[in-house]
Amino acid sequence: MDTPLVRKLQRFARLSSGEKQALNEAARLNVRRIGPREDIIREGERPDQVNLILSGWACRYKQLEDGRRQIIAILLPGDLCDTHAFVMPEMDHSIGTLSVVTVAEIDRDALTTITEQHPRVTQALWWETLVGTAVQREWTVNIGQRTATERLGHLFCELFLRMRAVDLTDGPSCELPITQVDLADALGLSNVHVNRVLQELRANGLVTLRGRLLTIPDLPALKTASLFNPNYLHLDRIGRHLDATDE
Amino acid sequence: MDTPLVRKLQRFARLSSGEKQALNEAARLNVRRIGPREDIIREGERPDQVNLILSGWACRYKQLEDGRRQIIAILLPGDLCDTHAFVMPEMDHSIGTLSVVTVAEIDRDALTTITEQHPRVTQALWWETLVGTAVQREWTVNIGQRTATERLGHLFCELFLRMRAVDLTDGPSCELPITQVDLADALGLSNVHVNRVLQELRANGLVTLRGRLLTIPDLPALKTASLFNPNYLHLDRIGRHLDATDE
DNA sequence: CGCTACGTTGAGTGGCATCAAGCGCGGTGG
DNA sequence: CCACCGCGCTTGATGCCACTCAACGTAGCG
């Protein structure tokens, strides 16, 4: 069974079985289990390994002096937390868990070795970070321009599609292991308002939410209601650049 | 005289004179002059060269179907527009000018040649893009959590420091070749409200704005008023990693 | 069985948007 | 040289979207 990272990277590059194996092994070496609402890395720290989410949800966030918190990005299984550590020594934001999370700590040097041996992996990881910044740009648009309802709907579309990209959806449903307070901090809204907007989406039949399970019965409808355009996720094409002649 | 790109990169890596020369020459080959309010690249296009801003201001932006526009990033002299084109074929956003702009079109292959010959340049360019995404993260925080006044003050701090990093400030002042409408689209506010908030900043003596010249008489004061922490710009240290033994 | 965390609901408020009109200035053409 | 025009800035009036404060319901858990 491939790790979510490999499942995701395969959308971009056709990895050879050797490449997959190298990545999968690295992701199984130092696995750590972390409870919800804990920090993985804090602003100011200098990590010397890369954290890979294997299961559960985490987030990047920044906190202002007066306590206001903005969740900057939501990290799903298959997401790498701190690849920038290779170039930038000091974290300018924190990473914390939202749910129970298992992460693999991948040694910096181990990852370097893999990328040196497998240029396709290097390319695929580069693609991974570029998609991450494309998502970041879309969040700016989301918070800056969309109404509260559109914002929440847009976020649901994104999360659902990203979960599907790592095979963690079940038909029209996926896990949503995150509180309304966290949603609020991600969207720049208050938790009270998130609650009301959520009810509106439910009333319109655009989503249902039972327990921690999100269901989107009519994804196209939610997309149009949220002005959602999936192009920024760059999921559509398997990489033509990089074809593995499986050795 | 070095181009702004070299001036900026030197904050991170001590480049040899040969490296500087290579970059400067590439930036002087195909120079183009563009009027204000024009597009450099549009969403959906597939650029095969990299655009480098030499003078003037540009922006990344996205437009929703109903016309709402969000400026995602402001590009200053020394900024590269579309390095992701190396990995992602299709633009998921547009780049347009704010003022009159001169850009250098750098051929993709030419840049590849430079980076292959000069690993320090590769590293420095990587740093450049990482700073870009760090700025993007901070914009998310800015729009998501700060009040209108803090938002505008924060943006002014950032732009001033980034201009200073490429030696385009004059004491406490720098050019601000951008309209209030553009500021509004960058901050997720209406132009009317930007105008009022601007007056508030002026009344408090935090900024003065005459013609297209921004002056920040007391930068520390504006910083605290805006909850500004410059760490995300990663300007503080000249790279220790990468020292040129000038050949 | 009480505690805590999360979700829900109501009332009141305010920040910021929208609409609309007027101002100042530089550019252009008669 | 001046009238005209357009663009960007400014100001006022009005209204709504979303925030704050506060209380209560509910479910999981030690």
Side-chain angles (χ1 to χ4, degrees):
Chain A
M1 185 61 184
D2 287 329
T3 54
L5 175 61
V6 168
R7 294 208 291 276
K8 187 171 68 167
L9 293 185
Q10 273 183 312
R11 311 215 141 240
F12 173 65
R14 290 209 178 75
L15 300 175
S16 71
S17 54
E19 286 161 344
K20 289 187 225 171
Q21 199 189 337
L23 282 169
N24 283 330
E25 277 173 6
R28 281 173 186 138
L29 216 55
N30 286 314
V31 176
R32 196 154 59 110
R33 191 169 176 287
I34 308 176
R37 237 158 306 280
E38 285 182 32
D39 279 337
I40 297 178
I41 310 178
R42 245 181 286 263
E43 185 170 343
E45 288 182 6
R46 300 160 175 271
D48 47 20
Q49 74 279 321
V50 175
N51 288 296
L52 166 65
I53 311 282
L54 295 176
S55 73
W57 289 19
C59 68
R60 300 181 194 284
Y61 71 91
K62 277 195 173 189
Q63 199 134 12
L64 303 185
E65 299 133 34
D66 61 4
R68 282 176 276 175
R69 179 179 76 141
Q70 175 69 40
I71 290 181
I72 291 164
I74 292 183
L75 302 171
L76 308 182
D79 286 345
L80 288 160
C81 293
D82 21 48
T83 37
H84 28 51
F86 280 77
V87 180
M88 302 224 193
E90 186 165 313
M91 291 291 290
D92 59 16
H93 62 277
S94 302
I95 297 177
T97 58
L98 296 168
S99 65
V100 173
V101 163
T102 55
V103 296
E105 289 183 352
I106 302 179
D107 195 57
R108 209 172 143 139
D109 301 331
L111 196 55
T112 307
T113 307
I114 294 178
T115 53
E116 277 170 1
Q117 287 171 0
H118 305 287
R120 260 196 307 272
V121 172
T122 312
Q123 196 90 342
L125 288 176
W126 197 4
W127 170 81
E128 207 264 347
T129 64
L130 287 180
V131 170
T133 79
V135 169
Q136 198 66 58
R137 285 193 293 264
E138 189 64 27
W139 278 43
T140 307
V141 178
N142 203 25
I143 298 176
Q145 295 299 325
R146 280 183 255 262
T147 67
T149 318
E150 293 163 351
R151 251 185 253 187
L152 185 57
H154 191 279
L155 181 61
F156 282 158
C157 288
E158 178 188 309
L159 291 170
F160 179 78
L161 291 181
R162 285 171 56 197
M163 286 293 273
R164 200 165 67 179
V166 285
D167 296 328
L168 288 175
T169 53
D170 179 13
S173 304
C174 75
E175 298 271 326
L176 194 89
I178 170 177
T179 68
Q180 293 183 5
V181 172
D182 293 328
L183 285 173
D185 284 349
L187 296 170
L189 297 169
S190 72
N191 57 338
V192 174
H193 202 58
V194 164
N195 181 280
R196 290 182 170 134
V197 163
L198 198 47
Q199 292 178 45
E200 187 189 328
L201 288 179
R202 282 195 270 231
N204 294 338
L206 291 172
V207 307
T208 67
L209 200 43
R210 269 209 316 280
R212 296 261 122 125
L213 191 74
L214 169 71
T215 305
I216 305 177
D218 185 353
L219 185 59
L222 186 60
K223 278 182 179 173
T224 49
S226 313
L227 303 175
F228 183 87
N229 179 340
N231 67 341
Y232 72 98
L233 293 173
H234 298 273
L235 294 173
D236 40 350
R237 2 148 269 107
I238 295 280
R240 281 166 250 133
H241 314 51
L242 307 166
D243 256 338
T245 52
D246 214 322
E247 58 264 45
Chain B
M1 185 59 182
D2 287 329
T3 55
L5 176 61
V6 168
R7 294 207 292 275
K8 188 172 65 166
L9 294 185
Q10 274 182 312
R11 310 214 143 241
F12 174 65
R14 290 212 178 73
L15 301 175
S16 72
S17 53
E19 287 161 343
K20 290 188 225 171
Q21 198 188 338
L23 283 169
N24 283 330
E25 278 173 6
R28 281 174 185 140
L29 217 53
N30 285 315
V31 177
R32 197 154 59 109
R33 192 168 175 287
I34 308 176
R37 236 158 305 278
E38 284 182 34
D39 279 338
I40 297 178
I41 310 178
R42 245 181 285 262
E43 186 170 343
E45 291 182 2
R46 299 160 176 270
D48 47 20
Q49 74 279 320
V50 175
N51 289 296
L52 167 65
I53 311 281
L54 294 175
S55 72
W57 288 20
C59 68
R60 300 182 194 284
Y61 71 92
K62 278 194 173 189
Q63 198 134 11
L64 303 185
E65 300 133 34
D66 61 3
R68 282 175 275 176
R69 179 178 77 142
Q70 176 69 40
I71 291 180
I72 292 165
I74 292 182
L75 302 171
L76 308 183
D79 286 344
L80 288 159
C81 294
D82 20 50
T83 37
H84 26 52
F86 279 78
V87 180
M88 302 220 188
E90 187 165 310
M91 291 291 291
D92 59 16
H93 62 277
S94 303
I95 297 177
T97 57
L98 296 168
S99 65
V100 174
V101 163
T102 55
V103 297
E105 289 183 352
I106 301 180
D107 194 58
R108 211 171 141 137
D109 302 331
L111 196 54
T112 308
T113 308
I114 294 177
T115 54
E116 277 171 1
Q117 288 173 359
H118 305 287
R120 259 196 307 272
V121 171
T122 313
Q123 195 90 342
L125 288 176
W126 198 4
W127 170 81
E128 206 265 344
T129 63
L130 287 180
V131 170
T133 79
V135 169
Q136 197 67 57
R137 285 194 293 267
E138 188 64 28
W139 277 44
T140 307
V141 178
N142 202 26
I143 297 175
Q145 296 300 327
R146 279 183 255 262
T147 68
T149 318
E150 293 163 352
R151 251 185 252 188
L152 184 57
H154 191 280
L155 181 61
F156 282 158
C157 287
E158 177 187 309
L159 292 171
F160 179 78
L161 291 182
R162 286 172 57 197
M163 287 291 273
R164 199 165 67 180
V166 285
D167 296 329
L168 288 174
T169 53
D170 179 13
S173 305
C174 75
E175 298 272 325
L176 193 90
I178 171 178
T179 68
Q180 292 184 5
V181 172
D182 294 328
L183 285 173
D185 284 348
L187 296 170
L189 297 169
S190 72
N191 57 339
V192 175
H193 203 59
V194 164
N195 181 279
R196 289 183 172 132
V197 162
L198 198 48
Q199 291 177 46
E200 187 189 329
L201 289 178
R202 282 195 270 231
N204 294 338
L206 290 172
V207 307
T208 66
L209 201 43
R210 268 208 318 282
R212 297 260 120 126
L213 192 74
L214 169 72
T215 305
I216 304 177
D218 185 352
L219 184 58
L222 186 59
K223 279 183 178 172
T224 49
S226 315
L227 302 175
F228 182 88
N229 180 340
N231 67 341
Y232 72 98
L233 293 173
H234 298 272
L235 293 173
D236 40 350
R237 2 150 268 108
I238 296 280
R240 280 167 252 131
H241 313 53
L242 305 165
D243 254 339
T245 51
D246 213 323
E247 58 262 45

